[in-house]
Amino acid sequence: MIITIDGPIATGKSSIAKQLAQEIGFIYVDTGAMYRCLAYSILKHGISPSDAPSVINHLDTFKFDIKIRQGKRSYFVSDTNVTDIIRGEEVTSNVSEISAIKEVREKLVNLQRDFSNGINAVFEGRDMGTVVFPGADVKIFLKGDPIVRAKRRYNEFKQKYPEDFHDLTLEQTIDEINKRDHHDSNRKISPLKQAEDAIVIDTTDLTIEDIIAKILEYKDSIPYSA
Ligand code: DC
């Protein structure tokens, strides 16, 4: 069974998808991390994200891996552990532009589909229910008040990366979220969009447990024969 969870930034997608997968014994796949690993690799090789031909060229040599040890997930690009750095400011501010390139999406979508073969998984991203898995058994689209989402992202960043934090303001975070959501929603290929048959959940005033309960209620209500 495939469960897809899509939505804009800081709707709680990752926490919800991870916890849901753990509760029901499914594999959790964070597709945003794949785009982030690629963005890291591109920047590391001195390629400009706006130089699409060079970005496309780099796809042939791009190698990434996920390792899970003692329940902790780490991402590797070639042999470098990039788990922390892909969440930093440099990758975050460049990943949207890179993920809008058609060839980039083709490569990562193929990897995601290959990976889904024969497994029960929760796939989290932007185009999971619309493009990557249009036939998914359960499709969830999360949305939320932009200011609440920005505050969530700001507090999370402050707590996790105090050394990168310096003088980042809430206003800058709101601005960055709006820019990235706008970019992700308006790109030509696979924009962030709710699938017509997705269940929409507004996460603004709900706890993670409330949201997971809603998803499970829906999952258990559908006929499933695999
Ligand atoms: O979920 P995230 O913030 O880690 O995602 C990072 C970027 O990757 C985001 O700006 C949009 C892009 N992305 C995408 O285009 N398609 C996906 N399935 C997942 C993420």
Side-chain angles (χ1 to χ4, degrees):
M1 173 182 268
I2 298 295
I3 299 178
T4 61
I5 302 191
D6 291 305
I9 299 160
T11 39
K13 278 195 315 291
S14 299
S15 312
I16 293 160
K18 209 182 292 177
Q19 198 168 315
L20 171 70
Q22 200 176 10
E23 276 186 30
I24 58 178
F26 279 31
I27 290 168
Y28 160 62
V29 188
D30 172 2
T31 61
M34 297 170 76
Y35 287 93
R36 285 174 181 270
C37 284
L38 176 64
Y40 165 85
S41 186
I42 281 161
L43 296 169
K44 181 84 187 158
H45 282 82
I47 299 167
S48 162
S50 56
D51 178 2
S54 300
V55 170
I56 294 165
N57 239 343
H58 184 69
L59 290 173
D60 290 336
T61 47
F62 169 62
K63 284 212 169 32
F64 102 103
D65 198 10
I66 306 168
K67 293 184 182 149
I68 303 175
R69 286 209 190 104
Q70 290 162 352
K72 193 182 170 328
R73 183 179 299 253
S74 303
Y75 295 92
F76 286 80
V77 170
S78 298
D79 288 330
T80 310
N81 185 335
V82 298
T83 313
D84 289 331
I85 202 164
I86 58 168
R87 306 290 164 188
E89 197 36 44
E90 208 192 352
V91 167
T92 301
S93 54
N94 285 289
V95 62
S96 225
E97 186 170 6
I98 290 164
S99 62
I101 299 171
K102 180 170 134 269
E103 288 80 353
V104 164
R105 303 209 70 83
E106 281 167 3
K107 163 121 184 172
L108 296 198
V109 166
N110 283 336
L111 286 176
Q112 290 153 17
R113 288 191 184 136
D114 286 349
F115 189 61
S116 74
N117 279 330
I119 60 170
N120 287 321
V122 179
F123 276 83
E124 176 225 325
R126 303 291 191 289
D127 57 344
M128 297 296 106
T130 48
V131 173
V132 187
F133 302 111
D137 307 281
V138 176
K139 296 184 188 179
I140 307 296
F141 190 86
L142 302 177
K143 61 177 194 175
D145 178 85
I147 304 294
V148 173
R149 294 197 284 115
K151 279 188 186 153
R152 206 181 271 157
R153 176 49 49 101
Y154 178 75
N155 290 331
E156 189 184 277
F157 196 70
K158 196 160 84 170
Q159 195 190 2
K160 278 196 191 154
Y161 306 106
E163 67 287 353
D164 277 354
F165 192 62
H166 302 301
D167 45 11
L168 179 77
T169 63
L170 177 62
E171 286 66 32
Q172 283 168 331
T173 311
I174 294 172
D175 198 43
E176 190 237 301
I177 282 192
N178 284 341
K179 263 199 210 128
R180 201 142 65 91
D181 279 342
H182 180 81
H183 205 274
D184 293 341
S185 306
N186 290 284
R187 65 177 174 226
K188 285 204 185 81
I189 308 137
S190 307
L192 164 66
K193 189 169 93 187
Q194 177 201 327
E196 276 180 19
D197 51 350
I199 301 296
V200 181
I201 302 176
D202 187 330
T203 67
T204 309
D205 298 315
L206 295 177
T207 65
I208 290 184
E209 286 69 28
D210 291 337
I211 298 159
I212 290 178
K214 272 180 188 285
I215 298 173
L216 288 178
E217 191 184 338
Y218 174 68
K219 170 183 172 285
D220 293 340
S221 75
I222 57 158
Y224 176 68
S225 58

